[in-house]
């Protein structure tokens, strides 16, 4: 038995493929769970590579154009932090791993946005953001591409 050397790389690459493939499926509205799939993929991307790849995330400020997240989506961030990719990704990771997120529906009963919250050990809020689903999708795609590019450099 040998060690699977490309485990993280393949996980991240396959996560990207899963998201892309889902759009091609022909499902009725009652069978479509794209938000659930998107959140599951986001959980995997934020939690599994965190130990080895989070330090490679940029400290550039998030932007709607580049990362899908408008800084205005973030209403609270810990004092001393900025709305940069690395800090936002860490807070999103904490939010989803501690199940501190809530879905919001639009008038058509479709999930339109997710509210993410993070707290410190004293239960003080350190992060709050309400992010539209399309923005989460763009962030997830960009995060995946960033991790893959970093891994490619280190091969």
């Amino acid at each position: 038995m040998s060690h699977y050397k490309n485990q993280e790389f393949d996980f991240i690459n396959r996560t990207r493929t899963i998201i892309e493939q889902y759009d091609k499926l022909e499902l009725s509205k009652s069978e479509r769970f794209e938000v659930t799939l998107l959140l599951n993929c986001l959980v995997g991307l934020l939690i599994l590579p965190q130990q080895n790849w989070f330090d490679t995330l940029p400290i550039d400020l998030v932007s709607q154009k580049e990362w899908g997240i408008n800084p205005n989506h973030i209403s609270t961030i810990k004092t001393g932090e900025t709305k940069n990719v690395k800090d936002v990704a860490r807070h999103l990771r904490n939010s989803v791993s501690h199940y501190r997120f809530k879905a919001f529906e639009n008038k058509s009963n479709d999930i339109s946005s997710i509210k993410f919250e993070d707290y410190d050990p004293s239960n003080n809020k350190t992060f709050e953001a309400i992010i539209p689903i399309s923005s989460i999708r763009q962030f997830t795609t960009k995060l995946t591409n960033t991790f893959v590019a970093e891994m490619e450099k280190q091969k």
Side-chain angles (χ1 to χ4, degrees), residues 14 18 38 43 61-63 74 78 97 101 117 121 131 145:
R14 289 173 182 170
I18 288 168
L38 183 60
V43 167
L61 295 180
V62 293
S63 68
I74 302 166
K78 185 177 179 180
S97 65
F101 62 91
E117 294 179 320
I131 306 173
N145 292 339

Side-chain angles (χ1 to χ4, degrees), residues 124-138:
N124 298 308
K125 188 181 289 187
T126 59
F127 182 81
E128 180 176 302
I130 298 176
I131 306 173
I133 296 303
S134 60
S135 295
I136 295 170
R137 170 90 186 241
Q138 184 178 342

Side-chain angles (χ1 to χ4, degrees), residues 1 15 22 52 82 116 124 129:
M1 187 181 274
T15 299
Y22 190 81
N52 296 320
T82 62
F116 297 92
N124 298 308

Side-chain angles (χ1 to χ4, degrees), residues 30-93:
S30 65
E31 296 175 308
R32 292 197 64 80
F33 302 111
E34 68 273 2
V35 174
T36 302
L37 175 70
L38 183 60
L39 286 176
N40 278 314
C41 291
L42 181 63
V43 167
L45 290 170
L46 290 172
I47 294 174
L48 297 179
Q50 189 237 356
Q51 296 302 318
N52 296 320
W53 301 105
F54 252 50
D55 286 339
T56 65
L57 287 175
I59 56 170
D60 303 335
L61 295 180
V62 293
S63 68
Q64 183 74 44
K65 181 180 179 188
E66 187 75 20
W67 286 89
I69 297 177
N70 185 316
N72 294 332
H73 293 152
I74 302 166
S75 59
T76 304
I77 193 152
K78 185 177 179 180
T79 303
E81 292 183 350
T82 62
K83 296 176 184 180
N84 69 50
V85 174
K86 191 174 186 178
D87 287 341
V88 169
R90 183 177 41 76
H91 284 295
L92 290 174
R93 179 221 169 270

